[in-house]
């Protein structure tokens, strides 16, 4: 189910502003890859190009290729909606649909994709997705309560359940713990460790300890100054990036000397 991602010679533009320049990297299936770097260096932009979410910004476009399982998601005729079904996204702030129950939130993506689904199948899917997000035990008796009634950490796990309910191949997480307390953060980190058994996971984080804890590989991005494009500086096994990076700027960043 989980797929390899290959980014080849990617330039990302917002109108005529070059936000990210000449990025190439490979992300292996069933692994966690962390994108780190100072604010404005293009980490979230790159994350959003992997499922074409950046296109919701008018004027955004790319040059280069993004291959998922060998298929270019930017090839002519590819439907961005299908790409986003394959590549789920979890945002910085938990965003359950406020008018929907916990159960309806889990099924939202499935219904959006016009899947007719029986009551029995939907019950099973709700249970398996919530179990997959380590939330079932906490909410099984109140599935008809609003998703917004949960705590922040539970809401974020509900959003993860919603993302995995549509059986994606890749799960993207844009600073998924930045709005959460330390205990909820730990729950999400434990969950990431479990989810990588089935999915390819890419996470943007400003938390160096988190990147070191959860990821197998780390990509460090940097920017030469305001108005300049972000660039991929170094990409390697997480242990290497944090203990013996080959570029001085990487060492300065992970050791807290700048950024």
């Amino acid at each position: 189910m989980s797929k390899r991602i290959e980014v080849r010679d990617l330039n990302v533009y917002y109108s005529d502003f070059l936000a990210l320049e000449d990025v190439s990297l490979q992300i292996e299936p069933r692994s966690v890859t962390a994108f780190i770097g100072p604010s404005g260096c293009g980490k979230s932009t790159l994350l959003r190009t992997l499922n074409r979410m950046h296109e919701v910004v008018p004027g955004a476009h790319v040059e280069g290729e993004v291959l998922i399982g060998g298929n270019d998601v930017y090839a002519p005729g590819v439907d961005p909606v299908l790409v986003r079904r394959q590549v789920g996204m979890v945002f910085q702030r938990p965003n359950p649909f406020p008018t929907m129950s916990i159960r309806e939130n889990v099924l939202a993506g499935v219904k959006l994709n016009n899947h007719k689904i029986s009551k029995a199948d939907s019950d099973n899917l709700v249970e398996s997705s919530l179990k997959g997000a380590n939330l079932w035990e906490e909410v099984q008796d109140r599935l008809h309560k609003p998703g917004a009634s949960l705590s922040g950490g539970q809401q974020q796990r509900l959003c993860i359940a919603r993302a995995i309910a549509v059986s994606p191949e890749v799960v993207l997480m844009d600073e998924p713990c930045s709005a959460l307390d330390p205990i909820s953060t730990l729950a999400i980190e434990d969950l990431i460790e479990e989810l990588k058994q089935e999915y390819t996971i890419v996470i943007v984080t400003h938390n160096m300890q988190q990147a070191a804890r959860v990821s197998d590989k780390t990509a460090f991005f940097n920017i030469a100054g305001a108005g300049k494009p972000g660039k991929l500086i170094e990409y390697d096994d997480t242990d290497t990036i944090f203990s013996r990076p080959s570029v001085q700027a990487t060492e300065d960043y992970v050791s807290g000397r700048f950024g």
Side-chain angles (χ1 to χ4, degrees):
M1 201 152 95
S2 115
K3 297 272 178 86
R4 164 191 273 206
I5 303 169
E6 289 178 78
V7 178
R8 297 181 183 165
D9 307 321
L10 189 73
N11 294 310
V12 186
Y13 292 87
Y14 292 109
S15 296
D16 52 6
F17 172 66
L18 179 58
L20 200 57
E21 185 172 28
D22 197 27
V23 174
S24 294
L25 52 78
Q26 287 191 5
I27 295 171
E28 294 306 318
R30 293 194 170 87
S31 67
V32 181
T33 300
F35 291 171
I36 63 169
S39 293
C41 68
K43 319 179 282 298
S44 291
T45 292
L46 178 60
L47 192 75
R48 286 160 176 268
T49 63
L50 300 181
N51 73 345
R52 299 183 57 167
M53 274 291 294
H54 72 297
E55 290 178 359
V56 300
V57 178
H61 61 284
V62 304
E63 296 167 351
E65 295 177 312
V66 175
L67 306 174
I68 295 181
N71 297 313
D72 185 2
V73 302
Y74 288 96
V78 172
D79 181 355
V81 176
L82 290 177
V83 173
R84 290 171 201 149
R85 193 181 304 172
Q86 275 187 305
V87 185
M89 185 102 175
V90 176
F91 295 93
Q92 188 167 357
R93 297 207 166 266
N95 60 343
F97 298 119
T99 58
M100 292 186 185
S101 68
I102 294 168
R103 174 191 162 84
E104 288 167 337
N105 261 285
V106 175
L107 295 171
V110 181
K111 298 241 169 102
L112 199 67
N113 294 328
N114 295 323
H115 287 324
K116 292 279 178 270
I117 183 166
S118 70
K119 171 87 167 65
D121 285 347
S122 59
D123 287 346
N124 290 335
L125 182 59
V126 167
E127 182 173 342
S128 64
S129 301
L130 288 169
K131 280 181 172 169
N134 282 347
L135 192 57
W136 175 252
E137 297 296 329
E138 295 163 54
V139 303
Q140 59 180 328
D141 301 328
R142 48 183 173 137
L143 295 176
H144 297 288
K145 291 276 194 321
S149 68
L150 298 174
S151 72
Q154 289 172 324
Q155 287 186 26
Q156 194 61 299
R157 281 181 284 150
L158 177 60
C159 293
I160 292 170
R162 185 174 70 198
I164 62 179
V166 296
S167 304
E169 289 148 356
V170 177
V171 178
L172 309 176
M173 299 187 176
D174 194 356
E175 294 190 60
C177 303
S178 66
L180 304 181
D181 63 82
I183 290 173
S184 298
T185 295
L186 190 61
I188 300 285
E189 289 182 5
D190 288 345
L191 178 54
I192 290 169
E193 185 65 32
E194 288 175 33
L195 290 173
K196 81 168 184 185
Q197 311 306 319
E198 280 190 61
Y199 307 100
T200 308
I201 297 179
V202 188
I203 176 172
V204 167
T205 180
H206 277 288
N207 181 328
M208 293 300 101
Q209 291 78 18
Q210 181 171 75
R213 283 192 299 262
V214 305
S215 68
D216 303 294
K217 287 199 146 184
T218 296
F220 169 61
F221 295 84
N222 204 359
I223 188 165
K228 297 276 199 289
K231 292 190 173 183
L232 174 60
I233 305 301
E234 189 167 359
Y235 177 53
D236 211 328
D237 292 338
T238 295
D239 289 346
T240 304
I241 292 288
F242 281 92
S243 57
R244 43 185 191 287
S246 55
V247 180
Q248 185 62 45
T250 312
E251 185 164 329
D252 289 346
Y253 186 76
V254 300
S255 64
R257 281 199 280 277
F258 83 91

